[in-house]
Amino acid sequence: MNPEIRDARPEEAAAIAALIRASITGLCARDHRNEPGALAAWLANKTPEAVGGWIADPDQRLIVAQEAGRLAGTASARPSGDLLLLYVAPDAAGHDIGTGLLAALEAWLRGEGATEIRLESTVTARDFYRARGYRETGPSTRRCATGCLPMSKPLGHTPTALVIFDCDGVLVDSEPIALRLLIETLAAAGLGLEPDEVHTRFLGRSLATTREILAADYGLTLGEDALAGMRHRLYAAFRAELRPIPHIAEALDALPCPFCVASSSQPERIELSLTVTGLWPRFAGRAFSATMVARGKPAPDLFLHAAASLGYTPGACLVVEDSPAGVTAARSAGMRVVAFTGGSHATSDCHRAGIAALEPDAIIDDMRDLPELAAG
């Protein structure tokens, strides 16, 4: 059942205050760490009297989400574009209440003429906002009882007309298999590299770029026989082990616009990867490989080629990438980019920090969040 989202009523002030206090106490322990002083300071103005004042304030709009006859969340913003609060009842967590409240206020602010929405996020809520297109705009402040992270999101942009997916680590969970086979191939050629170094240097790179790095930085030239053997073993492993990224089919079905794939891999590898995972019928005729352009990622050539081939301008495209090279390529192409960190290779703090440092437009680890971002 979808929640009803509406303006708060004066007679609900006490219930809203209780909801906010329960949300802070039960869901925000990462921020207040159950320290009595920090918790008391945070709760100090979360009273029925304060909430009543917020409801009556003509310079802000306080809304609520009602689900199954009870209040499940509340949020408030000023017409100037400042999000003041967003809280969800502990027993409604995971019901997309926060998403609905945020979308409602974003739509209202667009109608008010705001071009940007600004907020100060708790640590607890940071990933929630990142997944919905918000980015940090400065260091943590002490305006909140426990410290706040300034974030913002543009409210106006060219509607997404085309979504461009990377393949490995975005559509299919192939990176651990590919990196394992690369490590084995390098070891057989006499170059022993640690998995972390292979991940950092070669994730998201085309085979041509990988060979260039190996020759320039490690003095290793991989012969055609070694490459052919690696491909043979890799393709066999794909047929036996490869799986689609969770929820990717569901996300593709929900996208509001066309999509394609643009990958550093060779065309036959793209087709094999998507065939064994059941995704190829969705991308046949709309698959682009780094072999089609002069420069692979992090150069923008591949994404620009894909967009131009399908008749779209860069500003109308949204790229979904998992690697620093891919995020950089999308940025260089003048396209919005969503960084996906839900692949099994992308769980380390180091990888996620490297992605975040590139400031993609959003970071998600669940493909079910993508259609909302594409819809804008």
Side-chain angles (χ1 to χ4, degrees):
M1 178 184 297
N2 292 326
E4 175 192 3
I5 295 178
R6 56 171 173 78
D7 289 318
R9 300 165 182 159
E11 63 270 21
E12 294 172 323
I16 294 171
L19 182 156
I20 293 173
R21 295 174 72 88
S23 181
I24 292 171
T25 303
L27 299 180
C28 300
R30 287 178 62 192
D31 293 275
H32 58 67
R33 299 178 297 279
N34 293 314
E35 295 178 3
L39 187 55
W42 199 347
L43 297 175
N45 70 335
K46 310 305 188 292
T47 64
E49 293 76 18
V51 174
W54 301 339
I55 295 172
D57 185 353
D59 193 38
Q60 70 170 289
R61 184 185 182 197
L62 185 71
I63 62 174
V64 296
Q66 185 168 335
E67 182 184 52
R70 50 86 189 221
L71 295 184
T74 186
S76 174
R78 296 194 188 281
S80 58
D82 294 304
L83 183 72
L84 303 177
L85 61 88
L86 193 160
Y87 291 103
V88 173
D91 60 355
H95 295 192
D96 288 332
I97 300 298
T99 298
L101 288 165
L102 188 60
L105 285 179
E106 288 178 354
W108 172 67
L109 288 171
R110 287 190 185 96
E112 293 292 312
T115 59
E116 179 184 62
I117 184 167
R118 300 169 297 276
L119 60 90
E120 291 187 329
S121 173
T122 60
V123 172
T124 301
R126 177 185 58 196
D127 289 344
F128 168 84
Y129 289 118
R130 279 180 174 172
R132 286 150 186 83
Y134 290 78
R135 293 163 52 189
E136 286 93 339
T137 57
S140 177
T141 72
R142 298 301 302 177
R143 289 180 59 186
C144 303
T146 59
C148 293
L149 301 168
M151 305 182 80
S152 70
K153 173 185 176 179
L155 289 177
H157 57 74
T158 303
T160 300
L162 177 71
V163 176
I164 303 176
F165 288 91
D166 180 33
C167 184
D168 297 294
V170 173
L171 296 174
V172 298
D173 202 11
S174 56
E175 293 292 12
I177 303 172
L179 292 175
R180 183 185 79 216
L181 267 295
L182 178 58
I183 290 171
E184 292 175 1
T185 300
L186 296 179
L191 179 62
L193 296 181
E194 292 297 321
D196 286 348
E197 185 173 0
V198 174
H199 183 283
T200 300
R201 297 302 308 274
F202 302 111
L203 181 68
R205 309 277 185 170
S206 68
L207 182 57
T209 302
T210 296
R211 293 179 75 179
E212 290 172 3
I213 294 172
L214 288 171
D217 295 351
Y218 298 95
L220 175 65
T221 300
L222 282 181
E224 290 300 327
D225 289 345
L227 293 175
M230 182 175 71
R231 283 197 201 96
H232 177 77
R233 294 190 300 274
L234 179 66
Y235 293 172
F238 278 3
R239 293 185 181 96
E241 304 175 38
L242 190 59
R243 298 293 181 269
I245 289 292
H247 310 298
I248 184 59
E250 179 182 345
L252 293 173
D253 289 342
L255 284 176
C257 59
F259 52 85
C260 68
V261 58
S263 169
S264 294
S265 296
Q266 294 184 319
E268 68 270 18
R269 173 172 162 178
I270 298 171
E271 183 172 354
L272 174 64
S273 297
L274 297 181
T275 297
V276 299
T277 54
L279 298 174
W280 180 244
R282 301 169 185 266
F283 291 94
R286 289 175 291 141
F288 301 91
S289 164
T291 61
M292 301 173 179
V293 295
R295 300 178 300 168
K297 305 170 190 178
D301 302 28
L302 177 57
F303 292 140
L304 293 172
H305 171 68
S309 297
L310 296 175
Y312 295 95
T313 61
C317 297
L318 175 67
V319 174
V320 187
E321 264 288 355
D322 68 311
S323 71
V327 172
T328 301
R331 278 270 182 249
S332 298
M335 300 176 180
R336 291 191 301 133
V337 58
V338 172
F340 177 67
T341 58
S344 58
H345 68 289
T347 57
S348 73
D349 291 341
C350 181
H351 177 84
R352 295 190 176 202
I355 289 290
L358 296 173
E359 298 187 342
D361 293 279
I363 300 175
I364 62 174
D365 58 14
D366 190 322
M367 275 298 176
R368 290 173 292 188
D369 292 328
L370 180 63
E372 179 185 347
L373 291 171

